[in-house]
């Protein structure tokens, strides 16, 4: 249950993990100095206002408000992301097709010395490369997406080697995070088709280091669990906990995130052993430290349901939707809540209709309302 679906995983963290802001890092006092009204775009994205983003991009283009080449690429990135969120994949492809090859001189800083004196290299936001790789899969072309993702992984590792050879510490950390993100993205594609062996190979290639990414290491444990290797899973989870104990978390997670990851891993072991009481205890600790830990919230409710405590499981999810709707309002949680309604209530259709009406008022633009099964 802890493993996010491919769609959720890949679209959840792109604004921060991939960064639209790499064209001119650390050169300005504010985001808006970097690019015209980019802080507004980020705010809209954080609220799921994807249609407003498209309107803002359209307006900026019509009024010629974007003055520098890199600004056009940043706005195009947001527009493609918004189109993908709204499942307008054909329109997203058209946007991407309007671009030249990413390695074209048109997208090099040195081609515009008046705008970017003493700068060289590519101004293509990394997220744009990733979106270009992901889009074929949404159109039923899975192999093309995998080919592009593996090519992008090679690109990342090449850049990482270049930075390591020059000992540019800040850049090394950024490219390592991108490498981890890409391995996670690729493995999610393979997991969705139950290609566990490929996932293991991918993850192990990145985890054979002193301080591996604890999220990827946990994912290795989830896959081992899927394969029935409970001891191997426990060993991976123990390694994650040891990393936390040694204080090797700062590069990847903050303290609370790391502690909750460890607790969720422990809870999964209890869950496999059908020790639902102990699993709920671990999830409660997570929620106490971070009331917006939606994975812990959802899994706690599922454990209560497995314990035949439908009433409390429903209360957990309803409370989360009321307290932290921004993070709790996702299709997986809502599907689970509706399933509980169907088991618990005779008038479940009316209850789900009430939920559906509330969702229509508060949900982000990309929320799939069909998950209520009204």
């Amino acid at each position: 249950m802890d493993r996010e679906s491919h769609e959720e995983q890949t679209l959840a963290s792109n604004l921060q993990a991939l960064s639209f802001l790499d064209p001119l890092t650390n050169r300005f006092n504010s985001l808006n100095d970097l690019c015209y009204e980019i802080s507004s775009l980020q705010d809209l994205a954080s609220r799921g206002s994807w249609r407003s983003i498209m309107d803002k991009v359209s307006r900026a283009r019509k009024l010629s408000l974007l003055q520098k080449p890199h600004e056009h690429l940043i706005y195009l990135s947001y527009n493609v992301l918004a189109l993908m969120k709204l499942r307008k994949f054909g329109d997203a492809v058209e946007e991407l097709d309007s671009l030249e090859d990413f390695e074209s001189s048109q997208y090099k800083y040195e081609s515009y010395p008046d705008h970017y004196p003493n700068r060289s290299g590519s101004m293509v936001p990394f997220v744009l490369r990733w979106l270009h790789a992901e889009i074929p899969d949404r159109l039923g072309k899975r192999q093309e997406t995998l080919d592009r993702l593996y090519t992008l992984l090679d690109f990342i590792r090449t850049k990482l080697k270049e930075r390591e050879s020059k000992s540019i510490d800040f850049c090394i950390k950024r490219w390592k995070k991108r490498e981890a993100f890409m391995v996670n993205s690729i493995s999610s594609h393979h997991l969705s088709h139950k290609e566990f062996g490929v996932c293991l190979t991918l993850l192990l290639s990145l985890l054979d280091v002193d301080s591996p990414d604890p999220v990827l290491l946990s994912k290795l444990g989830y896959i081992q669990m899927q394969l029935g290797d409970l001891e191997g899973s426990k060993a991976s989870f123990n390694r994650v906990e040891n990393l936390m104990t040694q204080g090797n978390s700062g590069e990847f997670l903050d303290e609370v995130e790391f502690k909750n990851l460890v607790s969720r891993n422990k809870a999964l072991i209890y869950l496999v052993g059908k020790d639902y009481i102990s699993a709920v205890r671990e999830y409660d600790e997570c929620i106490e430290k971070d009331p917006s830990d939606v994975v812990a919230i959802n899994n706690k409710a599922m454990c209560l349901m497995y314990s035949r405590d439908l009433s409390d499981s429903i209360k957990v999810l309803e409370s989360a939707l009321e307290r932290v709707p921004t993070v709790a309002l996702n299709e997986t949680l809502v599907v689970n809540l509706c399933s509980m309604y169907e088991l618990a209530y005779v008038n479940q259709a009316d209850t789900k209709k009430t939920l559906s009406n509330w969702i229509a008022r508060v949900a982000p633009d990309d929320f799939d309302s069909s998950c209520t099964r009204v």
Side-chain angles (χ1 to χ4, degrees), residues 71-190:
E71 293 182 321
H72 290 276
L73 289 173
I74 290 174
Y75 268 63
L76 187 142
S77 299
Y78 273 100
N79 207 42
V80 172
L81 179 60
L83 289 166
M84 289 183 67
K85 280 286 194 176
L86 295 172
R87 293 173 282 279
K88 297 182 178 181
F89 304 124
D91 293 340
V93 169
E94 287 185 17
E95 275 280 86
L96 289 167
D97 285 347
S98 69
L99 298 171
E100 300 291 332
D101 182 273
F102 288 152
E103 303 312 315
S104 166
S105 60
Q106 182 179 346
Y107 307 130
K108 303 290 186 183
Y109 291 118
E110 56 266 33
S111 298
Y112 309 93
D114 292 339
H115 285 307
Y116 313 107
N118 303 318
R119 284 192 66 86
S120 62
S122 175
M123 65 177 69
V124 177
F126 180 77
V127 72
L128 195 54
R129 298 178 186 272
W130 173 73
L131 290 170
H132 173 262
E134 286 285 348
I135 189 65
D137 182 63
R138 308 306 196 274
L139 298 171
K141 301 176 181 177
R142 175 176 180 259
Q143 189 57 51
E144 186 173 347
T145 278
L146 285 174
D147 291 344
R148 290 183 181 185
L149 288 173
Y150 276 106
T151 298
L152 184 52
L153 181 60
D154 288 341
F155 171 83
I156 292 167
R157 286 174 169 169
T158 298
K159 293 295 183 182
L160 184 55
K161 287 180 181 178
E162 291 174 1
R163 270 62 180 177
E164 287 174 338
S165 67
K166 297 176 182 177
S167 299
I168 309 175
D169 291 342
F170 176 78
C171 288
I172 290 172
K173 288 181 179 179
R174 168 167 291 182
W175 285 98
K176 279 186 176 179
K177 287 183 178 180
R178 288 172 174 170
E179 181 185 29
F181 178 91
M182 195 53 49
V183 168
N184 203 10
S185 182
I186 294 171
S187 64
S188 292
H189 278 279
H190 289 300

Side-chain angles (χ1 to χ4, degrees), residues 31 132 208:
L31 286 177
H132 173 262
D208 189 22

Side-chain angles (χ1 to χ4, degrees), residues 45 63 74 82 92 95 117 119-120 128 150 176 186 207 225 238 243 261 279 288 292 305 328 368 371:
L63 299 180
I74 290 174
E95 275 280 86
R119 284 192 66 86
S120 62
L128 195 54
Y150 276 106
K176 279 186 176 179
I186 294 171
L207 294 173
M225 192 174 286
N238 287 337
L243 286 172
L261 177 63
E288 184 178 347
S292 65
M305 186 183 74
D368 183 1
C371 68

